[in-house]
């Protein structure tokens, strides 16, 4: 493991072992190692999840959540994406639009009854 990744890894484990999670853990990791990027945090978190020496269920859960959060950040996804989806068109209206489109495209197919 590289020196930078090793520092981020140890900061994550240390912070999670102290009971930190979520934004508190992120701030702790960045305070310990200011050059920690989302990519490094995700990689270090995955290393922690695969480390056989890390056996505390709570630590593993916190590390898992941290990895997911920073992976989504690196993809450019918002945390509140679920709320935005709820405000979008309802499933019934989407289904109705697809049904109408299917009927329209089916009308363009020539009939085999001649």
């Amino acid at each position: 493991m590289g020196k930078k990744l090793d520092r981020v890894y140890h900061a994550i484990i240390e912070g999670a072992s102290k009971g930190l999670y979520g934004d508190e853990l992120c701030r702790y990791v960045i305070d310990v190692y200011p050059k920690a990027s989302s990519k490094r945090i995700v990689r270090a978190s995955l290393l922690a999840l695969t480390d056989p020496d890390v056996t505390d269920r709570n630590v593993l859960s916190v590390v898992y959540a941290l990895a997911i959060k920073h992976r989504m950040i690196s993809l450019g996804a918002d945390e509140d994406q679920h709320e935005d989806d709820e405000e979008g068109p309802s499933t019934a209206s989407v289904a109705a639009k697809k049904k109408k489109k299917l009927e329209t495209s089916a009308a363009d197919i020539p009939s085999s009854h001649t």
Side-chain angles (χ1 to χ4, degrees):
M1 173 171 15
K3 211 176 198 181
K4 295 174 185 178
L5 190 59
D6 190 47
R7 291 178 78 184
V8 175
Y9 168 83
H10 287 294
I12 289 170
I13 296 300
E14 187 177 301
S17 297
K18 290 180 178 181
L20 301 176
Y21 62 92
D23 291 334
E24 293 174 336
L25 181 57
C26 289
R27 280 191 294 274
Y28 179 80
V29 170
I30 292 171
D31 286 345
V32 171
Y33 187 66
K35 294 182 182 180
S37 64
S38 282
K39 185 176 181 179
R40 272 196 197 114
I41 290 173
V42 170
R43 286 184 177 184
S45 298
L46 293 175
L47 284 171
L49 291 172
T50 58
D51 186 348
D53 295 333
V54 180
T55 57
D56 184 338
R57 182 180 186 87
N58 292 329
V59 170
L60 291 169
S61 294
V62 169
V63 170
Y64 181 70
L66 183 69
I68 291 172
K69 178 180 179 176
H70 278 274
R71 177 66 173 126
M72 295 308 292
I73 288 171
S74 69
L75 293 174
D78 291 339
E79 287 182 42
D80 298 333
Q81 189 171 8
H82 296 294
E83 293 175 11
D84 293 342
D85 290 344
E86 291 172 6
E87 295 173 5
S90 68
T91 307
S93 66
V94 171
K97 288 179 184 177
K98 287 188 176 189
K99 182 179 177 185
K100 183 170 181 150
K101 185 176 181 181
L102 180 62
E103 288 171 349
T104 304
S105 61
D108 294 339
I109 299 173
S111 168
S112 62
H113 298 115
T114 52

